[in-house]
Amino acid sequence: SDSYSVVMGGIAGKRVSNIANIPDDVVELFKYAAFGIPRAFLSMIWEYQRRKSRSTQQSIINSITQEYLSSRLLEYRSLVKKVPKFRTIILAGEDLLNEMGTLVRDANAKAIPAQEKQISIGILKDDVSPIVKRMLDLLVEAGLIYQQTDVSHGLPARVYHRYVPHTAVLLGVRAFSLGQHGTSPRQIVEVIKYKTVKH
């Protein structure tokens, strides 16, 4: 939402000492990498403060966001032990998550030069069988994708379920930097703040 950055910044302002010593673009990037989870955002900030003298800023940011994503995926995969009958759809769900990231990155190759961005994946409602719905629901419950409101297009109307893959997945595939290495946090945040494409 429009107030997301302000709310997350307010939380950090109360909980993180010396937040002013961290570059604004780094703080902003961690806000989005946390994908709406304040505790994750604060953990990334604290980890950055702990490591900031050990390596380059970009490598620290990449390492922290990917470690966070790895821990989320590890927790998601642990569902296999908890509910063995869902093993196939849990593993397929991770493959789907990775493919979502790739599709968003590829869509952004056209959107970013026009100063727009794409973050959503549309799945035709008619193609969502009960087992596919369960797979998607598990990803939502694990916090790895976010379900937006459905949209309809065309006549007769085709209804699409819309999902946003975790921002850490998108950062990992460089979805906001046209696949380029070495893009600065400032440039990435700038793209994240672009207007979202219409479809």
Side-chain angles (χ1 to χ4, degrees), residues 12-59:
K14 292 183 185 303
R15 298 291 306 276
V16 180
S17 60
N18 302 320
I19 188 89
N21 295 338
I22 302 174
D24 290 343
D25 51 354
V26 172
V27 173
E28 203 69 15
L29 186 59
F30 285 143
K31 288 176 186 177
Y32 292 105
F35 205 54
I37 308 296
R39 183 183 296 171
F41 169 51
L42 294 172
S43 294
M44 285 188 251
I45 292 290
W46 290 324
E47 189 62 20
Y48 179 84
Q49 287 179 322
R50 195 175 68 75
R51 296 190 200 181
K52 68 180 176 182
S53 62
R54 298 186 193 172
S55 189
T56 65
Q57 175 178 280
Q58 189 62 52
S59 66

mmCIF file of all heavy atoms in Angstrom, residues 12-59:
data_model
loop_
_atom_site.group_PDB
_atom_site.id
_atom_site.type_symbol
_atom_site.label_atom_id
_atom_site.label_comp_id
_atom_site.label_asym_id
_atom_site.label_seq_id
_atom_site.Cartn_x
_atom_site.Cartn_y
_atom_site.Cartn_z
ATOM 1 N N ALA A 12 10.878 0.759 12.583
ATOM 2 C CA ALA A 12 12.346 0.765 12.712
ATOM 3 C C ALA A 12 12.811 1.934 13.570
ATOM 4 O O ALA A 12 13.744 1.804 14.364
ATOM 5 C CB ALA A 12 12.990 0.828 11.330
ATOM 6 N N GLY A 13 12.147 3.082 13.413
ATOM 7 C CA GLY A 13 12.527 4.263 14.187
ATOM 8 C C GLY A 13 12.412 4.040 15.684
ATOM 9 O O GLY A 13 13.194 4.576 16.472
ATOM 10 N N LYS A 14 11.453 3.215 16.091
ATOM 11 C CA LYS A 14 11.255 2.933 17.515
ATOM 12 C C LYS A 14 12.132 1.784 18.025
ATOM 13 O O LYS A 14 12.433 1.710 19.213
ATOM 14 C CB LYS A 14 9.791 2.589 17.778
ATOM 15 C CG LYS A 14 8.838 3.760 17.600
ATOM 16 C CD LYS A 14 7.425 3.348 17.942
ATOM 17 C CE LYS A 14 6.416 4.444 17.671
ATOM 18 N NZ LYS A 14 6.682 5.687 18.361
ATOM 19 N N ARG A 15 12.517 0.875 17.119
ATOM 20 C CA ARG A 15 13.169 -0.361 17.560
ATOM 21 C C ARG A 15 14.664 -0.453 17.250
ATOM 22 O O ARG A 15 15.361 -1.284 17.821
ATOM 23 C CB ARG A 15 12.473 -1.570 16.915
ATOM 24 C CG ARG A 15 11.016 -1.732 17.280
ATOM 25 C CD ARG A 15 10.784 -2.126 18.726
ATOM 26 N NE ARG A 15 11.525 -3.307 19.120
ATOM 27 C CZ ARG A 15 11.112 -4.561 18.905
ATOM 28 N NH1 ARG A 15 9.955 -4.784 18.327
ATOM 29 N NH2 ARG A 15 11.845 -5.560 19.288
ATOM 30 N N VAL A 16 15.146 0.366 16.311
ATOM 31 C CA VAL A 16 16.541 0.227 15.882
ATOM 32 C C VAL A 16 17.338 1.460 16.297
ATOM 33 O O VAL A 16 17.055 2.570 15.856
ATOM 34 C CB VAL A 16 16.642 0.041 14.354
ATOM 35 C CG1 VAL A 16 18.102 -0.113 13.933
ATOM 36 C CG2 VAL A 16 15.822 -1.157 13.894
ATOM 37 N N SER A 17 18.324 1.234 17.170
ATOM 38 C CA SER A 17 19.182 2.356 17.560
ATOM 39 C C SER A 17 20.126 2.684 16.398
ATOM 40 O O SER A 17 20.527 1.808 15.640
ATOM 41 C CB SER A 17 19.982 2.015 18.820
ATOM 42 O OG SER A 17 20.793 0.882 18.588
ATOM 43 N N ASN A 18 20.441 3.928 16.252
ATOM 44 C CA ASN A 18 21.355 4.398 15.203
ATOM 45 C C ASN A 18 20.862 4.093 13.794
ATOM 46 O O ASN A 18 21.657 3.891 12.882
ATOM 47 C CB ASN A 18 22.763 3.803 15.393
ATOM 48 C CG ASN A 18 23.352 4.143 16.742
ATOM 49 O OD1 ASN A 18 23.195 5.258 17.219
ATOM 50 N ND2 ASN A 18 24.017 3.184 17.357
ATOM 51 N N ILE A 19 19.540 4.056 13.604
ATOM 52 C CA ILE A 19 18.999 3.803 12.264
ATOM 53 C C ILE A 19 19.466 4.866 11.279
ATOM 54 O O ILE A 19 19.631 4.608 10.093
ATOM 55 C CB ILE A 19 17.451 3.722 12.289
ATOM 56 C CG1 ILE A 19 16.887 3.275 10.930
ATOM 57 C CG2 ILE A 19 16.806 5.042 12.659
ATOM 58 C CD1 ILE A 19 16.764 1.823 10.760
ATOM 59 N N ALA A 20 19.729 6.071 11.791
ATOM 60 C CA ALA A 20 20.167 7.172 10.927
ATOM 61 C C ALA A 20 21.542 6.911 10.327
ATOM 62 O O ALA A 20 21.913 7.535 9.328
ATOM 63 C CB ALA A 20 20.176 8.482 11.714
ATOM 64 N N ASN A 21 22.294 5.979 10.904
ATOM 65 C CA ASN A 21 23.627 5.663 10.379
ATOM 66 C C ASN A 21 23.591 4.689 9.210
ATOM 67 O O ASN A 21 24.620 4.403 8.603
ATOM 68 C CB ASN A 21 24.508 5.079 11.483
ATOM 69 C CG ASN A 21 24.789 6.087 12.574
ATOM 70 O OD1 ASN A 21 24.687 7.298 12.360
ATOM 71 N ND2 ASN A 21 25.120 5.609 13.765
ATOM 72 N N ILE A 22 22.415 4.141 8.910
ATOM 73 C CA ILE A 22 22.273 3.212 7.781
ATOM 74 C C ILE A 22 21.737 4.004 6.594
ATOM 75 O O ILE A 22 20.778 4.772 6.749
ATOM 76 C CB ILE A 22 21.302 2.061 8.136
ATOM 77 C CG1 ILE A 22 21.807 1.305 9.368
ATOM 78 C CG2 ILE A 22 21.136 1.112 6.955
ATOM 79 C CD1 ILE A 22 20.847 0.247 9.870
ATOM 80 N N PRO A 23 22.336 3.839 5.415
ATOM 81 C CA PRO A 23 21.841 4.581 4.252
ATOM 82 C C PRO A 23 20.350 4.344 4.022
ATOM 83 O O PRO A 23 19.856 3.218 4.155
ATOM 84 C CB PRO A 23 22.675 4.018 3.093
ATOM 85 C CG PRO A 23 23.913 3.480 3.736
ATOM 86 C CD PRO A 23 23.487 2.990 5.093
ATOM 87 N N ASP A 24 19.635 5.416 3.695
ATOM 88 C CA ASP A 24 18.184 5.330 3.498
ATOM 89 C C ASP A 24 17.789 4.286 2.472
ATOM 90 O O ASP A 24 16.789 3.580 2.649
ATOM 91 C CB ASP A 24 17.625 6.695 3.063
ATOM 92 C CG ASP A 24 17.676 7.724 4.182
ATOM 93 O OD1 ASP A 24 17.834 7.327 5.358
ATOM 94 O OD2 ASP A 24 17.557 8.924 3.879
ATOM 95 N N ASP A 25 18.554 4.174 1.386
ATOM 96 C CA ASP A 25 18.179 3.222 0.332
ATOM 97 C C ASP A 25 18.341 1.778 0.804
ATOM 98 O O ASP A 25 17.581 0.899 0.392
ATOM 99 C CB ASP A 25 18.966 3.466 -0.964
ATOM 100 C CG ASP A 25 20.458 3.555 -0.771
ATOM 101 O OD1 ASP A 25 20.925 3.542 0.387
ATOM 102 O OD2 ASP A 25 21.184 3.646 -1.778
ATOM 103 N N VAL A 26 19.276 1.522 1.708
ATOM 104 C CA VAL A 26 19.446 0.178 2.266
ATOM 105 C C VAL A 26 18.245 -0.160 3.158
ATOM 106 O O VAL A 26 17.659 -1.242 3.057
ATOM 107 C CB VAL A 26 20.766 0.066 3.070
ATOM 108 C CG1 VAL A 26 20.844 -1.272 3.803
ATOM 109 C CG2 VAL A 26 21.964 0.253 2.150
ATOM 110 N N VAL A 27 17.864 0.786 4.003
ATOM 111 C CA VAL A 27 16.695 0.582 4.871
ATOM 112 C C VAL A 27 15.464 0.333 4.014
ATOM 113 O O VAL A 27 14.679 -0.583 4.267
ATOM 114 C CB VAL A 27 16.481 1.800 5.797
ATOM 115 C CG1 VAL A 27 15.170 1.667 6.575
ATOM 116 C CG2 VAL A 27 17.657 1.961 6.759
ATOM 117 N N GLU A 28 15.309 1.142 2.974
ATOM 118 C CA GLU A 28 14.144 1.017 2.096
ATOM 119 C C GLU A 28 14.110 -0.350 1.408
ATOM 120 O O GLU A 28 13.063 -0.985 1.308
ATOM 121 C CB GLU A 28 14.181 2.144 1.053
ATOM 122 C CG GLU A 28 12.856 2.482 0.449
ATOM 123 C CD GLU A 28 11.882 3.153 1.418
ATOM 124 O OE1 GLU A 28 12.288 3.629 2.487
ATOM 125 O OE2 GLU A 28 10.684 3.167 1.100
ATOM 126 N N LEU A 29 15.260 -0.815 0.954
ATOM 127 C CA LEU A 29 15.325 -2.116 0.286
ATOM 128 C C LEU A 29 14.941 -3.245 1.248
ATOM 129 O O LEU A 29 14.183 -4.148 0.882
ATOM 130 C CB LEU A 29 16.723 -2.352 -0.277
ATOM 131 C CG LEU A 29 16.906 -3.610 -1.122
ATOM 132 C CD1 LEU A 29 15.966 -3.613 -2.320
ATOM 133 C CD2 LEU A 29 18.342 -3.736 -1.598
ATOM 134 N N PHE A 30 15.411 -3.173 2.485
ATOM 135 C CA PHE A 30 15.053 -4.196 3.471
ATOM 136 C C PHE A 30 13.560 -4.169 3.798
ATOM 137 O O PHE A 30 12.966 -5.202 4.093
ATOM 138 C CB PHE A 30 15.889 -4.053 4.742
ATOM 139 C CG PHE A 30 17.316 -4.532 4.610
ATOM 140 C CD1 PHE A 30 18.349 -3.865 5.252
ATOM 141 C CD2 PHE A 30 17.620 -5.652 3.861
ATOM 142 C CE1 PHE A 30 19.665 -4.303 5.142
ATOM 143 C CE2 PHE A 30 18.927 -6.104 3.740
ATOM 144 C CZ PHE A 30 19.956 -5.425 4.381
ATOM 145 N N LYS A 31 12.955 -2.997 3.762
ATOM 146 C CA LYS A 31 11.501 -2.916 3.984
ATOM 147 C C LYS A 31 10.768 -3.806 2.986
ATOM 148 O O LYS A 31 9.860 -4.554 3.343
ATOM 149 C CB LYS A 31 11.001 -1.477 3.817
ATOM 150 C CG LYS A 31 11.384 -0.522 4.909
ATOM 151 C CD LYS A 31 10.899 0.888 4.558
ATOM 152 C CE LYS A 31 11.382 1.915 5.550
ATOM 153 N NZ LYS A 31 10.970 3.293 5.159
ATOM 154 N N TYR A 32 11.167 -3.701 1.717
ATOM 155 C CA TYR A 32 10.483 -4.475 0.679
ATOM 156 C C TYR A 32 10.889 -5.935 0.711
ATOM 157 O O TYR A 32 10.063 -6.825 0.483
ATOM 158 C CB TYR A 32 10.729 -3.847 -0.698
ATOM 159 C CG TYR A 32 10.052 -2.510 -0.815
ATOM 160 C CD1 TYR A 32 10.781 -1.332 -0.753
ATOM 161 C CD2 TYR A 32 8.662 -2.418 -0.938
ATOM 162 C CE1 TYR A 32 10.145 -0.092 -0.823
ATOM 163 C CE2 TYR A 32 8.031 -1.189 -1.011
ATOM 164 C CZ TYR A 32 8.782 -0.027 -0.953
ATOM 165 O OH TYR A 32 8.146 1.182 -1.011
ATOM 166 N N ALA A 33 12.159 -6.207 1.018
ATOM 167 C CA ALA A 33 12.626 -7.595 1.096
ATOM 168 C C ALA A 33 11.920 -8.362 2.202
ATOM 169 O O ALA A 33 11.764 -9.581 2.120
ATOM 170 C CB ALA A 33 14.140 -7.629 1.322
ATOM 171 N N ALA A 34 11.451 -7.649 3.236
ATOM 172 C CA ALA A 34 10.760 -8.297 4.358
ATOM 173 C C ALA A 34 9.355 -8.756 3.992
ATOM 174 O O ALA A 34 8.749 -9.540 4.724
ATOM 175 C CB ALA A 34 10.690 -7.339 5.545
ATOM 176 N N PHE A 35 8.808 -8.264 2.879
ATOM 177 C CA PHE A 35 7.516 -8.716 2.351
ATOM 178 C C PHE A 35 6.399 -8.594 3.387
ATOM 179 O O PHE A 35 5.579 -9.491 3.572
ATOM 180 C CB PHE A 35 7.654 -10.155 1.855
ATOM 181 C CG PHE A 35 6.667 -10.561 0.782
ATOM 182 C CD1 PHE A 35 6.520 -9.833 -0.383
ATOM 183 C CD2 PHE A 35 5.888 -11.697 0.934
ATOM 184 C CE1 PHE A 35 5.629 -10.215 -1.368
ATOM 185 C CE2 PHE A 35 4.985 -12.096 -0.056
ATOM 186 C CZ PHE A 35 4.863 -11.353 -1.209
ATOM 187 N N GLY A 36 6.416 -7.456 4.112
ATOM 188 C CA GLY A 36 5.335 -7.166 5.038
ATOM 189 C C GLY A 36 5.498 -7.710 6.440
ATOM 190 O O GLY A 36 4.601 -7.565 7.263
ATOM 191 N N ILE A 37 6.631 -8.318 6.752
ATOM 192 C CA ILE A 37 6.843 -8.905 8.081
ATOM 193 C C ILE A 37 7.793 -8.003 8.877
ATOM 194 O O ILE A 37 9.006 -8.009 8.627
ATOM 195 C CB ILE A 37 7.443 -10.330 7.987
ATOM 196 C CG1 ILE A 37 6.618 -11.205 7.047
ATOM 197 C CG2 ILE A 37 7.573 -10.955 9.375
ATOM 198 C CD1 ILE A 37 5.197 -11.474 7.490
ATOM 199 N N PRO A 38 7.280 -7.212 9.822
ATOM 200 C CA PRO A 38 8.148 -6.291 10.573
ATOM 201 C C PRO A 38 9.337 -6.969 11.244
ATOM 202 O O PRO A 38 10.449 -6.438 11.228
ATOM 203 C CB PRO A 38 7.195 -5.681 11.617
ATOM 204 C CG PRO A 38 5.848 -5.759 10.976
ATOM 205 C CD PRO A 38 5.864 -7.053 10.204
ATOM 206 N N ARG A 39 9.127 -8.140 11.821
ATOM 207 C CA ARG A 39 10.229 -8.831 12.495
ATOM 208 C C ARG A 39 11.359 -9.156 11.511
ATOM 209 O O ARG A 39 12.541 -9.041 11.841
ATOM 210 C CB ARG A 39 9.729 -10.115 13.154
ATOM 211 C CG ARG A 39 10.822 -10.846 13.938
ATOM 212 C CD ARG A 39 10.321 -12.146 14.510
ATOM 213 N NE ARG A 39 9.266 -11.910 15.489
ATOM 214 C CZ ARG A 39 8.536 -12.870 16.020
ATOM 215 N NH1 ARG A 39 8.724 -14.116 15.684
ATOM 216 N NH2 ARG A 39 7.606 -12.581 16.914
ATOM 217 N N ALA A 40 10.990 -9.552 10.295
ATOM 218 C CA ALA A 40 12.008 -9.853 9.286
ATOM 219 C C ALA A 40 12.772 -8.588 8.913
ATOM 220 O O ALA A 40 14.002 -8.601 8.767
ATOM 221 C CB ALA A 40 11.346 -10.458 8.046
ATOM 222 N N PHE A 41 12.057 -7.491 8.751
ATOM 223 C CA PHE A 41 12.678 -6.209 8.431
ATOM 224 C C PHE A 41 13.682 -5.813 9.510
ATOM 225 O O PHE A 41 14.837 -5.481 9.218
ATOM 226 C CB PHE A 41 11.579 -5.150 8.263
ATOM 227 C CG PHE A 41 12.064 -3.735 8.194
ATOM 228 C CD1 PHE A 41 13.069 -3.359 7.314
ATOM 229 C CD2 PHE A 41 11.499 -2.765 9.006
ATOM 230 C CE1 PHE A 41 13.505 -2.046 7.243
ATOM 231 C CE2 PHE A 41 11.930 -1.449 8.944
ATOM 232 C CZ PHE A 41 12.933 -1.087 8.068
ATOM 233 N N LEU A 42 13.271 -5.885 10.768
ATOM 234 C CA LEU A 42 14.165 -5.517 11.865
ATOM 235 C C LEU A 42 15.377 -6.443 11.931
ATOM 236 O O LEU A 42 16.506 -5.984 12.145
ATOM 237 C CB LEU A 42 13.397 -5.554 13.193
ATOM 238 C CG LEU A 42 12.276 -4.515 13.343
ATOM 239 C CD1 LEU A 42 11.476 -4.771 14.610
ATOM 240 C CD2 LEU A 42 12.818 -3.101 13.310
ATOM 241 N N SER A 43 15.148 -7.737 11.721
ATOM 242 C CA SER A 43 16.273 -8.699 11.742
ATOM 243 C C SER A 43 17.291 -8.375 10.663
ATOM 244 O O SER A 43 18.507 -8.452 10.901
ATOM 245 C CB SER A 43 15.755 -10.121 11.551
ATOM 246 O OG SER A 43 14.960 -10.501 12.641
ATOM 247 N N MET A 44 16.803 -8.004 9.468
ATOM 248 C CA MET A 44 17.728 -7.659 8.383
ATOM 249 C C MET A 44 18.525 -6.403 8.711
ATOM 250 O O MET A 44 19.732 -6.334 8.448
ATOM 251 C CB MET A 44 16.966 -7.499 7.067
ATOM 252 C CG MET A 44 16.534 -8.826 6.467
ATOM 253 S SD MET A 44 15.846 -8.639 4.813
ATOM 254 C CE MET A 44 14.132 -8.979 5.139
ATOM 255 N N ILE A 45 17.864 -5.419 9.309
ATOM 256 C CA ILE A 45 18.552 -4.186 9.705
ATOM 257 C C ILE A 45 19.629 -4.486 10.749
ATOM 258 O O ILE A 45 20.775 -4.027 10.638
ATOM 259 C CB ILE A 45 17.538 -3.159 10.272
ATOM 260 C CG1 ILE A 45 16.615 -2.657 9.167
ATOM 261 C CG2 ILE A 45 18.251 -1.997 10.953
ATOM 262 C CD1 ILE A 45 17.262 -1.765 8.156
ATOM 263 N N TRP A 46 19.272 -5.247 11.767
ATOM 264 C CA TRP A 46 20.242 -5.572 12.821
ATOM 265 C C TRP A 46 21.417 -6.369 12.254
ATOM 266 O O TRP A 46 22.568 -6.152 12.635
ATOM 267 C CB TRP A 46 19.559 -6.346 13.947
ATOM 268 C CG TRP A 46 18.605 -5.514 14.748
ATOM 269 C CD1 TRP A 46 18.746 -4.182 15.083
ATOM 270 C CD2 TRP A 46 17.371 -5.929 15.330
ATOM 271 N NE1 TRP A 46 17.664 -3.765 15.811
ATOM 272 C CE2 TRP A 46 16.802 -4.803 15.993
ATOM 273 C CE3 TRP A 46 16.672 -7.140 15.348
ATOM 274 C CZ2 TRP A 46 15.585 -4.857 16.657
ATOM 275 C CZ3 TRP A 46 15.459 -7.188 16.030
ATOM 276 C CH2 TRP A 46 14.923 -6.063 16.673
ATOM 277 N N GLU A 47 21.120 -7.288 11.347
ATOM 278 C CA GLU A 47 22.186 -8.084 10.728
ATOM 279 C C GLU A 47 23.097 -7.204 9.891
ATOM 280 O O GLU A 47 24.315 -7.366 9.880
ATOM 281 C CB GLU A 47 21.568 -9.207 9.885
ATOM 282 C CG GLU A 47 22.559 -10.215 9.361
ATOM 283 C CD GLU A 47 23.305 -10.981 10.453
ATOM 284 O OE1 GLU A 47 22.846 -11.044 11.611
ATOM 285 O OE2 GLU A 47 24.393 -11.518 10.132
ATOM 286 N N TYR A 48 22.527 -6.245 9.191
ATOM 287 C CA TYR A 48 23.329 -5.305 8.398
ATOM 288 C C TYR A 48 24.249 -4.503 9.314
ATOM 289 O O TYR A 48 25.439 -4.331 9.013
ATOM 290 C CB TYR A 48 22.410 -4.368 7.613
ATOM 291 C CG TYR A 48 23.160 -3.344 6.794
ATOM 292 C CD1 TYR A 48 23.646 -3.673 5.530
ATOM 293 C CD2 TYR A 48 23.394 -2.058 7.289
ATOM 294 C CE1 TYR A 48 24.345 -2.741 4.780
ATOM 295 C CE2 TYR A 48 24.088 -1.136 6.541
ATOM 296 C CZ TYR A 48 24.561 -1.472 5.293
ATOM 297 O OH TYR A 48 25.268 -0.548 4.555
ATOM 298 N N GLN A 49 23.724 -4.024 10.441
ATOM 299 C CA GLN A 49 24.552 -3.271 11.384
ATOM 300 C C GLN A 49 25.707 -4.131 11.897
ATOM 301 O O GLN A 49 26.827 -3.647 12.069
ATOM 302 C CB GLN A 49 23.704 -2.793 12.569
ATOM 303 C CG GLN A 49 22.759 -1.656 12.230
ATOM 304 C CD GLN A 49 21.914 -1.238 13.419
ATOM 305 O OE1 GLN A 49 21.469 -2.071 14.211
ATOM 306 N NE2 GLN A 49 21.679 0.063 13.546
ATOM 307 N N ARG A 50 25.422 -5.397 12.117
ATOM 308 C CA ARG A 50 26.451 -6.310 12.639
ATOM 309 C C ARG A 50 27.557 -6.561 11.622
ATOM 310 O O ARG A 50 28.727 -6.686 11.980
ATOM 311 C CB ARG A 50 25.785 -7.636 13.030
ATOM 312 C CG ARG A 50 26.624 -8.540 13.899
ATOM 313 C CD ARG A 50 25.842 -9.761 14.343
ATOM 314 N NE ARG A 50 25.537 -10.671 13.267
ATOM 315 C CZ ARG A 50 26.406 -11.504 12.695
ATOM 316 N NH1 ARG A 50 27.656 -11.524 13.092
ATOM 317 N NH2 ARG A 50 26.026 -12.315 11.740
ATOM 318 N N ARG A 51 27.194 -6.609 10.334
ATOM 319 C CA ARG A 51 28.157 -6.993 9.290
ATOM 320 C C ARG A 51 28.771 -5.834 8.517
ATOM 321 O O ARG A 51 29.688 -6.055 7.735
ATOM 322 C CB ARG A 51 27.460 -7.884 8.245
ATOM 323 C CG ARG A 51 26.974 -9.191 8.731
ATOM 324 C CD ARG A 51 26.549 -10.009 7.529
ATOM 325 N NE ARG A 51 25.652 -11.077 7.861
ATOM 326 C CZ ARG A 51 25.151 -11.937 6.988
ATOM 327 N NH1 ARG A 51 25.447 -11.813 5.710
ATOM 328 N NH2 ARG A 51 24.344 -12.890 7.372
ATOM 329 N N LYS A 52 28.266 -4.620 8.674
ATOM 330 C CA LYS A 52 28.557 -3.568 7.707
ATOM 331 C C LYS A 52 30.034 -3.238 7.505
ATOM 332 O O LYS A 52 30.394 -2.685 6.480
ATOM 333 C CB LYS A 52 27.778 -2.302 8.032
ATOM 334 C CG LYS A 52 28.178 -1.586 9.280
ATOM 335 C CD LYS A 52 27.300 -0.360 9.443
ATOM 336 C CE LYS A 52 27.624 0.334 10.757
ATOM 337 N NZ LYS A 52 26.770 1.492 10.953
ATOM 338 N N SER A 53 30.892 -3.594 8.431
ATOM 339 C CA SER A 53 32.312 -3.287 8.252
ATOM 340 C C SER A 53 33.093 -4.443 7.633
ATOM 341 O O SER A 53 34.281 -4.342 7.393
ATOM 342 C CB SER A 53 32.944 -2.925 9.601
ATOM 343 O OG SER A 53 32.855 -4.027 10.483
ATOM 344 N N ARG A 54 32.402 -5.550 7.342
ATOM 345 C CA ARG A 54 33.117 -6.755 6.896
ATOM 346 C C ARG A 54 33.216 -6.931 5.393
ATOM 347 O O ARG A 54 34.028 -7.705 4.915
ATOM 348 C CB ARG A 54 32.445 -7.995 7.473
ATOM 349 C CG ARG A 54 32.470 -8.058 8.973
ATOM 350 C CD ARG A 54 31.927 -9.370 9.431
ATOM 351 N NE ARG A 54 31.669 -9.337 10.863
ATOM 352 C CZ ARG A 54 31.048 -10.292 11.503
ATOM 353 N NH1 ARG A 54 30.596 -11.343 10.849
ATOM 354 N NH2 ARG A 54 30.857 -10.208 12.791
ATOM 355 N N SER A 55 32.365 -6.276 4.637
ATOM 356 C CA SER A 55 32.337 -6.521 3.190
ATOM 357 C C SER A 55 31.706 -5.321 2.497
ATOM 358 O O SER A 55 31.384 -4.321 3.132
ATOM 359 C CB SER A 55 31.523 -7.792 2.920
ATOM 360 O OG SER A 55 31.634 -8.177 1.576
ATOM 361 N N THR A 56 31.518 -5.425 1.189
ATOM 362 C CA THR A 56 30.890 -4.328 0.459
ATOM 363 C C THR A 56 29.403 -4.283 0.785
ATOM 364 O O THR A 56 28.786 -5.300 1.106
ATOM 365 C CB THR A 56 31.059 -4.506 -1.064
ATOM 366 O OG1 THR A 56 30.340 -5.673 -1.469
ATOM 367 C CG2 THR A 56 32.516 -4.624 -1.453
ATOM 368 N N GLN A 57 28.840 -3.095 0.676
ATOM 369 C CA GLN A 57 27.421 -2.908 0.999
ATOM 370 C C GLN A 57 26.540 -3.849 0.184
ATOM 371 O O GLN A 57 25.657 -4.504 0.720
ATOM 372 C CB GLN A 57 27.030 -1.456 0.725
ATOM 373 C CG GLN A 57 25.555 -1.176 0.918
ATOM 374 C CD GLN A 57 25.217 0.279 0.674
ATOM 375 O OE1 GLN A 57 25.418 1.105 1.539
ATOM 376 N NE2 GLN A 57 24.703 0.581 -0.500
ATOM 377 N N GLN A 58 26.800 -3.933 -1.127
ATOM 378 C CA GLN A 58 25.947 -4.740 -1.994
ATOM 379 C C GLN A 58 26.020 -6.220 -1.646
ATOM 380 O O GLN A 58 25.006 -6.911 -1.605
ATOM 381 C CB GLN A 58 26.323 -4.532 -3.468
ATOM 382 C CG GLN A 58 25.355 -5.163 -4.444
ATOM 383 C CD GLN A 58 23.952 -4.580 -4.332
ATOM 384 O OE1 GLN A 58 23.786 -3.374 -4.381
ATOM 385 N NE2 GLN A 58 22.952 -5.419 -4.153
ATOM 386 N N SER A 59 27.211 -6.718 -1.365
ATOM 387 C CA SER A 59 27.328 -8.148 -1.047
ATOM 388 C C SER A 59 26.654 -8.471 0.290
ATOM 389 O O SER A 59 26.075 -9.544 0.455
ATOM 390 C CB SER A 59 28.791 -8.595 -1.051
ATOM 391 O OG SER A 59 29.511 -7.983 -0.002
#
